[in-house]
Amino acid sequence: MIGLISATAAGAAARDRLAAAWPGRTRVYEGPVGDAVRTAFAQCEQLVCFLATGAVVRLVAPLLSGKTEDPGVVCVDEGGRFAVSLLGGHAGGANELAREVGDLLGAEPVVTTATDAVDLAGLDTLGLPVEGDVAGVSRALLDGEAVALRAEVTWPLPPLPVAEEGTYTIRLTDRLVAAAEREAVLRPPTLVVGVGASKGAPVEEVLGLVEDALRGAGLSVASVAELATVDAKAEEAGIVEAARRLGVPLVTYSAKELAGVDVPNPSDAPLAAVGTPSVAEAAALVGGGELLVPKRKSAASPAMATCAVVRRPGRGRLAVVGLGPGARDLLTPRAKAELRRASVLVGLDQYVDQIRDLLRPGTRILESGLGAEEERARTAVEEAREGLAVALIGSGDAGVYAMASPALAEASDDIDVVGVPGVTAALAAGAILGAPLGHDHVSISLSDLHTPWEVIERRVRAASEADIVVTFYNPRSRGRDWQLPKALGILAEHRTPRTPVGVVRNASRPDESSRLTTLGALDPATVDMMTVVTVGNTATRDIAGRMVTPRGYRWQSAQEDSE
């Protein structure tokens, strides 16, 4: 919950805007400001105070407990110009909250946390338990000193400016090791613990068995991702409470699913009890991985619990990102977030140049020129298969004549794939022209490099006969100068010469140009590969210099009756 506190009418107005925008996420604290701050500090995970920073400092100073316990606090000034992350920038989420408040209120977020100020991923912001010399390693990263990454397990980390050797070290491990001098240890959630238990097994026996098994194998409890068991034990109190105390989810599977998992130590006892020859080992192995601790029983007599431990390394992550038509303000927030999250960026060199300034330090860039689409797709998938976080970029929407298709043709189910939509060239051009896509429409690429012309021509003819608005991508190049005239000729068989045609070049970019012409007047020689051509249907009209296709056909009938 986010507590909202204000002292003036202007502050209350801004406060109420946040409350209206985030229903269920915020709570307004009324009354004397000191009392409101103290109450909210005790009850909320975050606070937004529409007060001077000095006043908030004096009010919260006696309340501070520690960076991992204190809520995040953001201050907004009286004029609503700045949203200042005052306390709990990382642990309390105040840095991100300041950005969110700034976006909503039109205020500039003020973040002074050192790593955020230089756009480095803070070690305490990665979502992983971290211990050791976190401050020293972070300072070394900030100072540009050589920091080595020692990855003992696979995990898709965000970009970090690390080297092969260094005085300082970031160690990525699920092993039970103490951090060395000048070392920060990150604990990725790579361990799955399968558990089985007799009815009424006490939590102390289940939890003690799990902790002993991990300790005996030299594994850290901080790297446990989940407990897993058969669904018949989903409400077994000892297992449920063990998961709660470990702070991990309890995942259950049907007996049929577990019976299909090959295990080294099947048994007749669980088969008779719950319908599968293995619970602990099968539940741990059902998602794949390396069996580190085979089934073992608790030390009680009789033993009422079993467990097994599997290492399931992090899967590589491939984000296929659409950059939009080129304008920075048409690049979506989700696309920006994926660019900042990826440790490897793969893309066409000219597209990389568009967003290079958004990348975090340490991002490895793999760029290539025109005509290497399949190679880029293969490279991105291969990097993801190494367990890395990869972003593959394309213009417009990556799924429209761009990189999503070749990438997904290469990818299998051994990596996670995320699609990030972007504003397509057709949409950008349509917005410039007016509303040409107001009814059914189709996009057709006239490039026959990958598609035979016979197929393209058949599709153009079908769109022409169906009276569908058509947007042509890749309409004309130096080596392909006859396809556009041919396509326009096919459309002219079913549409009059007065049919509106919109021509947009470099939509949304600084050298953008557009014009509205007609099917009969369009000169194909004025079109190139940077142009999108949109041909209206029989209902499309030029209204006040704008290209408009009505949503229905009643208007078309009225227009025809008046002509």
Side-chain angles (χ1 to χ4, degrees):
M1 184 65 68
I2 302 173
L4 305 180
I5 301 103
S6 63
T8 66
R15 175 203 69 192
D16 292 343
R17 287 177 61 190
L18 283 188
W22 296 337
R25 187 182 173 192
T26 57
R27 177 180 174 183
V28 174
Y29 285 80
E30 305 277 10
V33 169
D35 293 341
V37 169
R38 284 187 287 273
T39 303
F41 198 92
Q43 295 179 347
C44 298
E45 291 81 23
Q46 296 174 320
L47 278 70
V48 179
C49 300
F50 297 86
L51 305 165
T53 54
V56 178
V57 167
R58 286 189 292 273
L59 288 169
V60 303
L63 310 176
L64 301 181
S65 298
K67 65 183 298 182
T68 59
E69 294 85 20
D70 296 330
V73 179
V74 171
C75 293
V76 180
D77 67 293
E78 180 74 5
R81 298 170 299 166
F82 304 103
V84 183
S85 174
L86 184 69
L87 177 70
H90 283 170
N95 291 350
E96 184 58 33
L97 180 60
R99 297 185 181 98
E100 290 186 76
V101 170
D103 286 343
L104 188 61
L105 299 181
E108 181 178 351
V110 179
V111 176
T112 58
T113 307
T115 50
D116 289 63
V118 297
D119 208 22
L120 281 175
L123 297 181
D124 55 349
T125 67
L126 304 182
L128 305 179
V130 59
E131 58 193 60
D133 189 9
V134 179
V137 173
S138 298
R139 187 168 54 252
L141 289 170
L142 289 167
D143 292 343
E145 295 187 44
V147 177
L149 175 63
R150 182 178 170 187
E152 298 176 3
V153 292
T154 299
W155 198 260
L157 292 174
L160 293 167
V162 293
E164 291 186 5
E165 300 291 337
T167 307
Y168 291 83
T169 304
I170 299 171
R171 188 174 183 181
L172 185 70
T173 183
D174 56 15
R175 295 177 56 228
L176 186 60
V177 294
E181 185 179 359
R182 297 186 175 184
E183 180 178 71
V185 177
L186 292 171
R187 307 273 188 201
T190 56
L191 305 177
V192 177
V193 180
V195 291
S198 302
K199 184 175 178 59
V203 61
E204 290 76 13
E205 183 173 345
V206 176
L207 188 59
L209 173 62
V210 170
E211 292 175 340
D212 288 345
L214 292 167
R215 190 182 305 111
L219 300 170
S220 172
V221 69
S223 283
V224 175
E226 61 190 43
L227 294 192
T229 190
V230 65
D231 56 10
K233 296 295 179 178
E235 298 182 3
E236 184 64 47
I239 296 177
V240 172
E241 179 62 15
R244 190 193 68 79
R245 293 189 190 181
L246 290 169
V248 299
L250 176 62
V251 179
T252 64
Y253 301 96
S254 69
K256 183 178 180 181
E257 288 178 282
L258 298 185
V261 179
D262 289 330
V263 297
N265 301 292
S267 172
D268 292 335
L271 180 61
V274 293
T276 173
S278 172
V279 172
E281 287 182 340
L285 284 167
V286 70
E290 176 188 4
L291 183 62
L292 302 180
V293 180
K295 182 182 72 174
R296 58 179 292 178
K297 298 180 179 181
S298 55
S301 183
M304 298 185 71
T306 60
C307 82
V309 182
V310 164
R311 175 181 287 139
R312 192 184 298 168
R315 289 162 59 91
R317 188 176 191 276
L318 173 61
V320 187
V321 181
L323 301 181
R328 179 58 59 85
D329 60 353
L330 291 181
L331 178 66
T332 67
R334 187 178 300 180
K336 291 180 184 178
E338 289 294 346
L339 294 176
R340 292 167 55 78
R341 176 174 181 168
S343 62
V344 180
L345 181 85
V346 182
L348 179 68
D349 46 15
Q350 65 189 58
Y351 298 152
V352 172
D353 289 341
Q354 290 180 21
I355 47 83
R356 197 182 297 270
D357 63 301
L358 297 177
L359 305 178
R360 277 180 156 163
T363 305
R364 183 158 53 94
I365 301 173
L366 304 176
E367 53 188 317
S368 54
L370 288 168
E373 287 81 6
E374 285 78 9
E375 178 186 345
R376 284 194 291 274
R378 284 193 296 270
T379 297
V381 171
E382 288 168 1
E383 293 286 331
R385 284 183 176 142
E386 293 296 319
L388 302 173
V390 182
L392 174 63
I393 60 174
S395 67
D397 183 285
V400 180
Y401 305 122
M403 295 306 302
S405 293
L408 269 61
E410 291 284 339
S412 52
D413 62 358
D414 57 347
I415 62 173
D416 295 326
V417 178
V418 177
V420 182
V423 178
T424 69
L427 296 179
I432 293 165
L433 294 170
L437 309 182
H439 208 291
D440 298 335
H441 55 274
V442 63
S443 297
I444 298 177
S445 171
L446 294 183
S447 172
D448 55 1
L449 295 178
H450 299 285
T451 306
W453 173 253
E454 293 76 14
V455 175
I456 297 172
E457 181 175 344
R458 186 167 67 248
R459 291 171 180 172
V460 174
R461 193 169 299 282
S464 177
E465 293 174 353
D467 196 30
I468 296 175
V469 174
V470 181
T471 296
F472 288 123
Y473 281 69
N474 307 313
R476 185 177 181 273
S477 67
R478 291 180 181 178
R480 296 185 299 99
D481 58 0
W482 59 268
Q483 286 90 340
L484 179 58
K486 177 68 172 177
L488 295 175
I490 294 172
L491 293 176
E493 295 174 9
H494 297 273
R495 302 178 197 188
T496 71
R498 293 180 298 168
T499 301
V501 175
V503 181
V504 180
R505 188 176 190 278
N506 285 332
S508 85
R509 300 184 184 185
D511 56 346
E512 168 191 297
S513 63
S514 65
R515 68 184 189 277
L516 187 57
T517 181
T518 65
L519 186 57
L522 175 62
D523 180 4
T526 62
V527 173
D528 62 14
M529 284 288 287
M530 305 304 294
T531 305
V532 173
V533 177
T534 300
V535 181
N537 64 10
T538 57
T540 306
R541 294 290 184 268
D542 177 346
I543 301 176
R546 301 182 185 92
M547 188 176 178
V548 181
T549 302
R551 292 180 61 187
Y553 283 88
R554 296 177 182 174
W555 183 35
Q556 180 183 12
S557 300
Q559 288 276 349
E560 292 172 348
D561 291 343
S562 65
E563 292 178 354

